[in-house]
Amino acid sequence: MAPIPDSAITRRGLFGLGAAATAATTLAGVTPPARAAEPASPGPARDAAADLLRQWREAPGCHPLLPDVSTAGYRLGGRPPRPAVATKVTDFGARPNGTDCTAAFNAAVRQAGEQGGGVVLVPPGTWTLSGPVWMHWSGVVLRGTRRDTTVLHFTRTLDDGYRPNRQSNGNSRWSWTGGQIWFVAPERRARSEAEDYAGTEGWLLGDVLTEVGATSRGQRTLVVSGTDRLTPGDMVVLECQNPPDASLLQHLAGDVPGTRDYDWPRSAPQLVTGSGGQYVQYATLQWPVRVEAVLGERVVRLAQPLKYDLRPGWPARLRAIGPTVSDAGVENLTIRNELVPQTAHNRHPGSNGVCFQAVHDCWARDVRVENCDLGFGLTTAKSVTITGVAVGGRAAHHSFACRMQSTDNLVEDFEIERFSVPVASGAIHHGLNVEGLSAGNVYRGGRMAEGTFDTHRALPFENVRTNITLENNGRVGGSAASGPLFGARMAHWNVRITNGRPYAITIADVAPRSATVGVQGVEGSSSGLSRDFSGDLESLLADHGSAPSVEDLYLAQRGRHQLPAPA
């Protein structure tokens, strides 16, 4: 089947549902209100979720409403390895007796890294640390025994144990980035320290390897100016420049009519020009992707399909990824921050958990974070798997944050526990965050006693939150000056709400070309969020109030879910 063209989106003909569409399957345009939902015509009931997945499977990378997240996670969705033990922290003098083990932990990690990688084993006990553990080397894994028997007790915040990181307005960047266990290349850390974190947080890119020609979303084969500097298996960065007319950003928002009316330079100057604000590099779209094959002097095949068009007027190139860390992880332990009161919003001193910054193909497995400002942070991270994890203790600011062009990450089998100390006055808990041109990320298989589905603007697109149960009590964030809340193809699929609040979960009224499928436990369908784009958003609201036949969108796209027979 040919790719589904944009023109296929119609009120009655969407995905062939036509007159057989059920009342639970509607397009969620809002202008004029009378067009928001057409009544179903008589006929047999159709399975909207299964129909969507069947059509996606016929043209996976080009579906107008569903993203292709089948390759999210470590090594395109593979299982992280279990390497052999290289050393123990006790070999460097660490003892679980209340003495400060920070230097011993970092020495053990350094030795493992300089010897080529392996596991740094942390035996059972409570280990006291006063500063971060720096995971600067590829192939190194920090491993406890179990998260209920190996506890790392961090007695200082990042402000005290590392360095303060304040913006000019007094806000702390540790409110949304940085970790007590921190995966970052030493060059990236040194650059950030030299700039006092005032510059970008993104990749330290290397040389331009080749120029890239125009092609369409969903393609994996590129015509390039030359392939002599490309090697199969290499991770490179596809860089694409947004022009002054913001046409690339309009495309990332689905090219719905309202994107042409949106005042991009005024509302999101940093997205258009790269000037000012927290998102200074976002005038350039950057997507790390692995080279699968070199097919001649001017043709290369990528390991994943493109998430957006490459058009004339949007200069595109492949660049070397620069200093990074890969194939490293943390597992089987608890990070316990000293219990300090939660501060006002964005003034957090950095009682944080795990941070993955400008790294790819890493993981966190069986890790619990207590008493945190930020639990698990993804900052310009690619293909990280976070699995079997929990955030608990006193109220957090971000339990999970996915920001600064983080792509293709997988957070699964997670839990946000009921906070032992509730959110403080003047503070906010967000929950599951995506922001800042982050794309291809998946949250799945989770339980949330706190939080919501958060966006902090700057046009996150093609992200999925699926098969999640939550008490929906958090808030979204982000200044309106940071750009739109959503880009295209955001999917909220099979979500069970326990307190009747659809806020930020049913997003068909605000997110362009989105799919809200099988939200249960609510009667209304308003997101409660402000709209960025006028007119018809060409989004889908389906199976509202009932469980969809396809339980987990990610697993279905991975081929682990058998679709029901067509009606």
Side-chain angles (χ1 to χ4, degrees), residues 65 488-491 507-508 511-516 537-541:
L65 301 187
R489 289 172 292 281
M490 297 288 294
I507 56 172
R513 298 220 173 162
S514 63
T516 301
L537 298 180
E538 300 177 0
S539 290
L540 183 71
L541 177 68

Side-chain angles (χ1 to χ4, degrees), residues 332-394:
N332 307 342
L333 54 81
T334 286
I335 297 170
R336 178 174 295 153
N337 288 288
E338 187 76 13
L339 181 57
V340 296
Q342 187 180 26
T343 65
H345 188 228
N346 285 337
R347 301 302 173 109
H348 307 290
S351 295
N352 291 357
V354 183
C355 182
F356 297 94
Q357 182 180 354
V359 302
H360 68 89
D361 294 301
C362 294
W363 69 89
R365 177 167 47 200
D366 187 34
V367 173
R368 184 172 185 267
V369 179
E370 296 179 11
N371 306 327
C372 61
D373 298 323
L374 169 65
F376 294 87
L378 296 158
T379 297
T380 320
K382 161 76 175 186
S383 295
V384 172
T385 291
I386 299 174
T387 185
V389 300
V391 175
R394 71 111 163 115

Side-chain angles (χ1 to χ4, degrees), residues 39-93:
S41 301
R46 294 292 296 269
D47 188 331
D51 282 351
L52 282 167
L53 261 298
R54 287 191 191 94
Q55 293 210 344
W56 175 85
R57 286 180 178 179
E58 292 178 356
C62 342
H63 196 282
L65 301 187
L66 294 185
D68 184 345
V69 293
S70 61
T71 54
Y74 174 85
R75 297 278 173 175
L76 306 181
R79 182 174 297 177
R82 293 191 178 274
V85 173
T87 189
K88 299 178 182 178
V89 294
T90 50
D91 295 339
F92 295 82

Side-chain angles (χ1 to χ4, degrees), residues 232-284:
D234 281 356
M235 184 71 78
V236 297
V237 175
L238 175 62
E239 188 174 68
C240 192
Q241 198 73 28
N242 181 60
D245 65 3
S247 53
L248 173 56
L249 300 179
Q250 294 176 38
H251 173 60
L252 298 182
D255 287 314
V256 298
T259 61
R260 294 185 285 277
D261 300 329
Y262 184 77
D263 191 348
W264 295 96
R266 182 185 65 82
S267 300
Q270 63 272 34
L271 289 171
V272 179
T273 65
S275 62
Q278 179 180 336
Y279 306 103
V280 294
Q281 82 274 39
Y282 283 180
T284 301

